[in-house]
Amino acid sequence: GSVWRWVLRVVAGLVILSLIVVLVLALPPVQRWCVVTLLESPELDRVTVERVRVRPDSFAVEGLVIEADGMRMESGRLNGHGPLWKAILGRGVHLADYTAEGWRIRLDLRSRDAEEPRAVPALAGLVFGPLALDVEKAELVGQIEVVIGDDRAFILDASVRGGNLGRGRTGWLEVDGDLIGLRPDGAASPVQFRSELIRPATDAYLEASLTGGLVGERTPCFLTVRSRIEPAMLTVEGVIDLDLPALEDVLREHDAHVLASGSAELHFLSTSSASGETMVEGELLATDLVSARNGYRIDRITSPWRAVLNPGQNLLLRLPLEAERQGFVSDLLVAVSAVADEPIWRMEG
């Protein structure tokens, strides 16, 4: 009898202790402290959060601000719904929906640490990280700003929607937004992208396709890309279609146009290995290039180019060009080699 009473007391004590721990962890100040403690790291200058609420079937984070040198992330309001308690049993996290509203990521390339923005993946992961989980439906509305000079910045106001994301699924993402900073007059350029993500249950690889670009009455730039991510290799293949006069409408003042007509296609294949070496090769094809100033015409330009970037930041670029005009062909070979911070330029042709 005394043994069983002792066992019951121990069990009752553990149950009471567990309830106390659960109740304490359910307190908003404690949850807020846990989030700040979890996120703090030497790479970050500041981590603050206004409100955190975690329940067995949902979570919400408001007013999360993270700063590092030249970088700042404001979470706005992050919400997710799903059986979070299953994660305690090792069954993963499945979200019925995830929303992020009012988030803002700012990167200042003038910063002294801009060349090695180690905190950028962590900042972006706080907003976009839940998309790597099993998510039935997602919607993210916010802004990304990249400052490249004292009076120059690119700002993307984006609305991201997605669904059916997770292991063993074919998910999708759509991006609609306005990009500010391309046009000299400061007007916004609409952009649209759609992506499909194939992720096997084993996580042995991830395949993704991406289509989209700048849109409008004409399509200045359209991108079609397929990529495959494996543990030791990243492969990206695609083509960029350019309507050159329409692109000039975006990038230049109307009276400063260079081309009256012309189109171009840039085909590329990029492979990056675990050793850090990246090789990119492809072909540039431009046709029907007509000068807006004097009517000079080039029928065709082709360039099968190749670039290699080694782990030591050594760059090798080979760019042979062939131009054809009224049956005449001209050749030029451009070969460039450079070392980080010590460029050496060499041209042949």
Side-chain angles (χ1 to χ4, degrees), residues 59-336:
F59 71 87
V61 178
E62 294 183 22
L64 176 62
V65 177
I66 298 179
E67 292 182 352
D69 189 36
M71 290 158 279
R72 178 182 174 91
M73 193 279 287
E74 302 172 11
S75 70
R77 180 178 174 86
L78 312 179
N79 289 279
H81 296 86
L84 303 181
W85 56 270
K86 290 185 178 180
I88 302 176
L89 305 177
R91 297 171 61 181
V93 178
H94 181 93
L95 298 179
D97 62 80
Y98 170 65
T99 59
E101 299 175 341
W103 53 268
R104 185 169 183 263
I105 298 175
R106 186 177 189 271
L107 174 62
D108 191 343
L109 297 183
R110 299 169 300 176
S111 166
R112 55 184 171 85
D113 285 346
E115 295 181 358
E116 297 183 7
R118 292 172 293 178
V120 169
L123 267 62
L126 292 172
V127 174
F128 298 99
L131 298 181
L133 305 173
D134 291 346
V135 182
E136 296 295 335
K137 182 175 65 174
E139 185 171 0
L140 302 86
V141 180
Q143 183 184 92
I144 299 174
E145 179 182 6
V146 180
V147 180
I148 61 175
D150 293 338
D151 57 352
R152 188 73 187 276
F154 294 102
I155 300 174
L156 175 63
D157 291 312
S159 173
V160 183
R161 297 178 302 278
N164 201 39
L165 303 169
R167 295 180 179 178
R169 297 180 170 193
T170 299
W172 60 273
L173 290 171
E174 290 181 345
V175 180
D176 287 286
D178 291 315
L179 180 60
I180 301 172
L182 285 179
R183 294 181 178 272
D185 58 5
S189 300
V191 296
Q192 289 181 349
F193 290 96
R194 179 177 174 86
S195 177
E196 289 190 355
L197 308 169
I198 302 175
R199 184 179 173 189
T202 59
D203 265 349
Y205 64 89
L206 172 66
E207 289 187 353
S209 65
L210 177 69
T211 58
L214 298 173
V215 296
E217 294 183 4
R218 299 169 65 179
T219 303
C221 176
F222 192 84
L223 176 69
T224 305
V225 176
R226 295 193 65 86
S227 63
R228 182 182 176 95
I229 303 174
E230 301 176 76
M233 182 70 68
L234 168 62
T235 305
V236 181
E237 182 178 11
V239 58
I240 302 175
D241 293 298
L242 302 173
D243 182 332
L244 298 178
L247 188 61
E248 281 197 289
D249 286 338
V250 174
L251 301 178
R252 303 169 65 94
E253 300 288 354
H254 184 72
D255 57 357
H257 277 199
V258 174
L259 293 174
S261 69
S263 62
E265 293 181 0
L266 177 63
H267 297 259
F268 61 89
L269 171 63
S270 171
T271 55
S272 301
S273 64
S275 64
E277 182 180 82
T278 299
M279 182 178 71
V280 187
E281 57 186 349
E283 183 177 27
L284 171 65
L285 172 63
T287 57
D288 300 326
L289 306 176
V290 178
S291 170
R293 299 175 180 174
N294 55 22
Y296 187 87
R297 179 187 180 91
I298 297 178
D299 299 324
R300 181 186 181 95
I301 293 178
T302 56
S303 174
W305 54 276
R306 185 171 186 266
V308 178
L309 180 63
N310 297 314
Q313 302 301 310
N314 298 319
L315 172 66
L316 300 174
L317 172 64
R318 184 176 178 85
L319 184 69
L321 295 169
E322 182 179 281
E324 180 178 343
R325 179 178 183 269
Q326 295 180 349
F328 294 95
V329 178
S330 301
D331 295 308
L332 173 66
L333 172 62
V334 178
V336 177

Side-chain angles (χ1 to χ4, degrees), residues 45-60:
D45 299 331
R46 177 190 173 203
V47 178
T48 60
V49 62
E50 293 180 1
R51 180 172 177 265
V52 177
R53 188 203 69 211
V54 180
R55 295 177 179 173
D57 61 347
S58 66
F59 71 87

